[in-house]
Amino acid sequence: MIKKLNYTLILFFLGIMTYAQSRKNSVIVVESMPIFKGELMQFINENIEYPQSAIKDSISGRVFVSFWVDKSGNTLDHKIVKSIREDLDQEALRITKLIRFDKLTMQGGKPVKIKYTTVPVEFILNSTSAKEKKGIHITD
């Protein structure tokens, strides 16, 4: 429970560091952050596939992805902030492109586009990952 709370606080503070673009292209702090319906890290866990080449090479680690959330809650312009290697980076990009936010970012009562600074995607090999051809684990 403490780990989930800590992880939620980390995501909250990462969200605080994000900024929205106003009509004048100046940068402002937003009134409300986008909200993902459900648990974002659980969504990542359930939908990601550990690349077989990384399993074969026993490669693990954490990829950080940034992206923009548009006025409709869709994610776009995904970029790797911290890389491990190409196959894991591409899988982190693939899964973060599936994310859609249900509650929009609001500024002045209107939805705005916002940059989501980082989403960590952690790849951890364990004894069952090679058997299941999955091995992603997001630490809470």
Side-chain angles (χ1 to χ4, degrees):
M1 183 67 175
I2 297 287
K3 288 181 180 182
K4 284 187 179 185
L5 179 60
N6 286 340
Y7 197 72
T8 301
L9 289 174
I10 289 169
L11 286 177
F12 174 75
F13 287 116
L14 286 174
I16 293 290
M17 296 178 351
T18 61
Y19 296 96
Q21 263 186 311
S22 73
R23 291 182 192 156
K24 298 176 184 173
N25 289 328
S26 61
V27 177
I28 55 176
V29 176
V30 297
E31 293 171 359
S32 66
M33 294 297 299
I35 295 177
F36 181 82
K37 186 177 182 180
E39 177 61 43
L40 182 59
M41 295 301 108
Q42 182 179 353
F43 172 81
I44 291 172
N45 266 340
E46 290 173 355
N47 290 283
I48 203 161
E49 295 181 22
Y50 211 115
Q52 288 299 305
S53 54
I55 292 173
K56 180 182 173 194
D57 295 341
S58 298
I59 303 296
S60 60
R62 187 178 293 160
V63 176
F64 288 92
V65 181
S66 72
F67 50 80
W68 285 86
V69 179
D70 69 13
K71 294 178 183 182
S72 300
N74 298 311
T75 61
L76 53 115
D77 196 23
H78 299 74
K79 298 203 182 333
I80 299 294
V81 176
K82 181 182 175 250
S83 172
I84 298 176
R85 70 182 214 176
E86 185 66 22
D87 54 353
L88 295 176
D89 294 351
Q90 289 304 312
E91 181 59 15
L93 285 172
R94 184 192 72 79
I95 196 65
T96 55
K97 288 178 181 179
L98 298 175
I99 296 170
R100 185 178 191 301
F101 290 87
D102 298 296
K103 184 177 177 195
L104 306 178
T105 305
M106 302 300 282
Q107 182 65 27
K110 297 178 182 176
V112 293
K113 181 179 172 182
I114 187 169
K115 185 168 187 179
Y116 215 88
T117 54
T118 55
V119 171
V121 180
E122 192 167 5
F123 295 89
I124 297 175
L125 286 171
N126 56 41
S127 61
T128 60
S129 64
K131 293 177 187 174
E132 296 175 3
K133 297 185 181 180
K134 284 192 173 193
I136 187 71
H137 177 70
I138 305 297
T139 55
D140 294 334

